[in-house]
């Protein structure tokens, strides 16, 4: 998770179970109404403890072998209410790359300057706009693992020494201040900031360094290999086959409103509350622009990690090969986080207005999505831990 200083469009965070003797059996021991009542008690208690006087609320969606359950502290919220899933987008991007890998259309061990298998076409355009540092050393797999060393345009200020009008500033914030918030960002534009200024986040493979721009590059590779826009490829190959009809990836600056029904988002920064529901997220293609629902997101993680989303068991096993990060993400694989271990594998997401965690545990076959409609930049670590604890208690309430 990253520190949030202002409620800007660009800000992303980065983000074997045994039954006890008190429960008669492992799950399925309560009728649906009783199960959802138990979940409601969990989210209500957790939200009261965390934000008793703040706006927003807490919701949980759980899928077990016995059924699907949803509870929320928000009046009118349902499993079909839309919200912003932020960096859970990265799991779709990773799945798109690995689907192309599975089909033999790319090789994640190739460097970014290489050609696609059996072609004379490079993974990335051979143009000055894509001449990023270490392009001939960074592999696709390193981008997936956040170990490519690509400068993170989304989360870092451009160095003050750069010869650019946005030197010393966050690029997206500078654009918003100078051109307004309707600007449509492109992958070429964002990567071009790195290339034109020769910005470096670190050496390839040296260490885990979370980079949204690394995932922008992956989205571009999906486009180059497939011949479709990123949003169209994900729609055709991942959303439609998996019945995720309420999930989308807005990629133009004018698509700022969430589809109905939606849950309002609020951000707290420096003690001040800001309404941050409707935003331009065209800067987040491939890394943070997903709009979804609790039901869709839970089903996505469940199908993906059970090998039912179009990726075979061998591919999913490779994605789940996590490595220690020595930082807040703890353990990370190919677009998937493997912590906290007792909840399973998944990803977190944070954006102005919303904070999310999603996990699927293959041992218990339980999927949990927990999200808040308040991004509390003043106490972000506590809020993140609260989401994990809500997930733990939600599982326990259902007998897992």
């Amino acid at each position: 998770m990253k520190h949030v200083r202002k409620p800007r469009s660009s800000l992303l965070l980065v983000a074997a179970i045994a039954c006890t003797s008190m429960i008669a059996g492992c799950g399925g021991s309560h009728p649906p109404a009783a199960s959802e009542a138990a979940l409601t008690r969990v989210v209500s208690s957790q939200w009261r403890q965390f934000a008793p006087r703040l706006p927003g609320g807490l919701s949980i969606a759980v899928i077990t072998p016995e059924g699907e359950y949803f509870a929320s502290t928000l009046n009118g919220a349902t499993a079909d209410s839309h919200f912003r899933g932020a960096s859970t987008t990265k799991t779709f991007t990773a799945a798109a790359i690995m689907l192309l890998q599975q089909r033999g259309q790319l090789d994640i061990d190739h460097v970014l300057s290489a050609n696609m298998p059996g072609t004379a076409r490079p993974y990335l355009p051979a143009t000055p706009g894509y001449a990023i540092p270490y392009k001939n050393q960074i592999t696709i797999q390193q981008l997936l693992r956040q170990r490519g060393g690509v400068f993170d345009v989304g989360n870092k200020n451009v160095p003050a020494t750069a010869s650019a009008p946005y030197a010393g500033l966050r690029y997206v914030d500078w654009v918003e201040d100078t051109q307004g918030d309707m600007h449509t960002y492109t992958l070429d534009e964002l990567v071009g900031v790195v290339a034109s200024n020769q910005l470096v986040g670190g050496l390839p493979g040296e260490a885990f360094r979370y980079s949204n721009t690394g995932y922008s590059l992956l989205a571009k590779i999906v486009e180059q290999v497939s011949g479709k826009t990123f949003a169209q490829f994900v729609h055709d190959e991942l959303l439609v086959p998996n019945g995720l009809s309420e999930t989308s990836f807005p990629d133009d600056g004018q698509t700022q409103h969430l589809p109905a029904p939606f849950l309002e988002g609020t951000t707290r920064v420096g003690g001040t509350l800001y309404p941050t529901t409707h935003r331009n997220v065209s800067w987040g293609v491939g890394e943070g622009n997903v709009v979804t629902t609790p039901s869709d997101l839970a089903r996505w993680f469940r199908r993906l990690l059970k090998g039912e989303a179009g990726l075979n068991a061998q591919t999913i096993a490779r994605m789940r090969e996590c490595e220690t990060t020595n930082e807040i993400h703890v353990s990370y694989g190919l677009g998937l986080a493997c912590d906290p271990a007792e909840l399973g594998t998944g990803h977190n997401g944070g954006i102005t207005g919303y904070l999310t965690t999603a996990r699927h545990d293959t041992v218990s076959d339980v999927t949990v999505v927990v999200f808040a409609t308040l991004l509390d930049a003043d106490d972000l670590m506590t809020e993140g831990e609260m989401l994990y604890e809500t997930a733990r208690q939600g599982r326990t309430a259902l007998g897992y």
Side-chain angles (χ1 to χ4, degrees):
M1 298 180 184
K2 302 295 184 182
H3 178 62
V4 178
R5 295 187 296 177
K6 301 173 68 178
R8 297 281 196 165
S9 296
S10 63
L11 297 175
L12 275 180
L13 309 178
V14 157
I17 302 298
C19 297
T20 69
S21 59
M22 297 178 64
I23 299 174
C26 286
S29 57
H30 307 295
S35 295
E36 295 198 338
L39 287 178
T40 298
R41 288 192 292 272
V42 169
V43 292
S44 297
S45 173
Q46 288 294 302
W47 191 249
R48 280 197 306 271
Q49 292 178 54
F50 175 72
R53 292 178 294 277
L54 292 175
L58 187 64
S59 302
I60 185 170
V62 186
I63 305 178
T64 75
E66 288 73 40
E68 301 185 18
Y69 310 94
F70 176 79
S72 178
T73 65
L74 295 162
N75 290 333
T78 73
D80 297 316
S81 298
H82 294 86
F83 71 102
R84 299 192 186 278
S87 281
T88 61
T89 300
K90 292 179 175 67
T91 63
F92 291 91
T93 307
I97 289 287
M98 295 307 289
L99 184 61
L100 293 169
Q101 162 91 9
Q102 190 171 282
R103 293 173 177 173
Q105 293 179 261
L106 60 74
D107 185 337
I108 63 171
D109 292 320
H110 281 173
V111 296
L112 304 185
S113 58
N115 291 334
M116 304 171 208
T119 77
R121 294 182 294 113
Y123 286 111
L124 294 174
T127 62
Y130 278 85
I132 65 171
Y134 303 110
K135 181 180 178 179
N136 63 346
Q137 298 179 39
I138 302 168
T139 67
I140 297 172
Q141 180 170 184
Q142 285 173 336
L143 293 184
L144 288 166
R145 290 191 179 279
Q146 302 282 16
R147 293 177 181 270
V150 176
F151 182 87
D152 188 357
V153 174
N155 279 315
K156 294 183 181 297
N157 290 354
V158 174
T161 54
S163 179
Y166 45 80
L169 304 172
R170 195 75 53 88
Y171 176 75
V172 175
D173 293 348
W174 173 79
V175 171
E176 189 170 312
D177 288 341
T178 58
Q179 301 181 39
D181 65 358
M182 303 293 282
H183 175 78
T184 294
Y185 300 87
T186 67
L187 296 172
D188 294 353
E189 172 187 1
L190 295 169
V191 175
V193 173
V194 176
S196 63
N197 296 288
Q198 288 296 286
L199 303 177
V200 176
L203 295 177
E206 179 183 43
F208 180 94
R209 290 187 173 91
Y210 197 89
S211 173
N212 286 319
T213 309
Y215 270 73
S216 297
L217 287 168
L218 290 170
K220 185 67 175 182
I221 290 171
V222 170
E223 295 189 343
Q224 290 279 102
V225 174
S226 71
K228 298 180 179 181
T229 66
F230 174 79
Q232 191 63 54
F233 181 85
V234 173
H235 174 270
D236 294 348
E237 303 292 344
L238 299 176
L239 300 186
V240 171
N242 289 291
L244 307 178
S245 60
E246 298 303 319
T247 298
S248 60
F249 299 83
D251 56 8
D252 68 273
Q254 298 193 28
T255 304
Q256 299 195 10
H257 281 68
L258 292 178
F262 62 85
L263 301 174
E264 297 275 0
T266 303
T267 301
R268 182 169 76 156
V269 181
T272 301
L273 296 169
Y274 301 88
T276 49
T277 304
H278 306 298
R279 310 294 290 181
N280 175 357
V281 291
S282 63
W283 46 261
V285 172
E287 43 102 342
N289 63 331
V290 68
V291 172
T292 188
T293 66
S295 177
D296 264 20
L297 194 60
R299 290 175 185 174
W300 164 248
F301 276 93
R302 186 174 187 80
R303 291 184 64 81
L304 175 67
L305 288 159
K306 286 170 69 71
E308 298 173 352
L311 303 177
N312 60 36
Q314 182 179 4
T315 299
I316 296 303
R318 191 168 186 184
M319 293 178 71
R320 294 180 65 233
E321 291 174 355
C322 289
E323 299 176 350
T324 300
T325 67
N326 295 314
E327 57 107 271
I328 193 170
H329 291 86
V330 184
S331 182
Y332 204 85
L334 303 182
L336 290 170
C338 302
D339 59 282
E342 74 275 14
L343 294 177
T345 307
H347 214 287
N348 298 336
I351 191 172
T352 49
Y354 307 90
L355 188 64
T356 304
T357 189
R359 294 291 188 278
H360 173 75
D361 175 33
T362 56
V363 176
S364 62
D365 197 22
V366 174
T367 310
V368 183
V369 170
V370 181
F371 68 97
T373 56
L374 169 74
L375 180 73
D376 189 0
D378 293 347
D379 200 6
L380 195 55
M381 295 300 296
T382 301
E383 184 176 13
E385 287 300 325
M386 182 269 292
L387 295 190
Y388 286 149
E389 183 58 26
T390 302
R392 295 184 188 101
Q393 292 190 22
R395 286 171 50 112
T396 299
L398 295 179
Y400 288 90

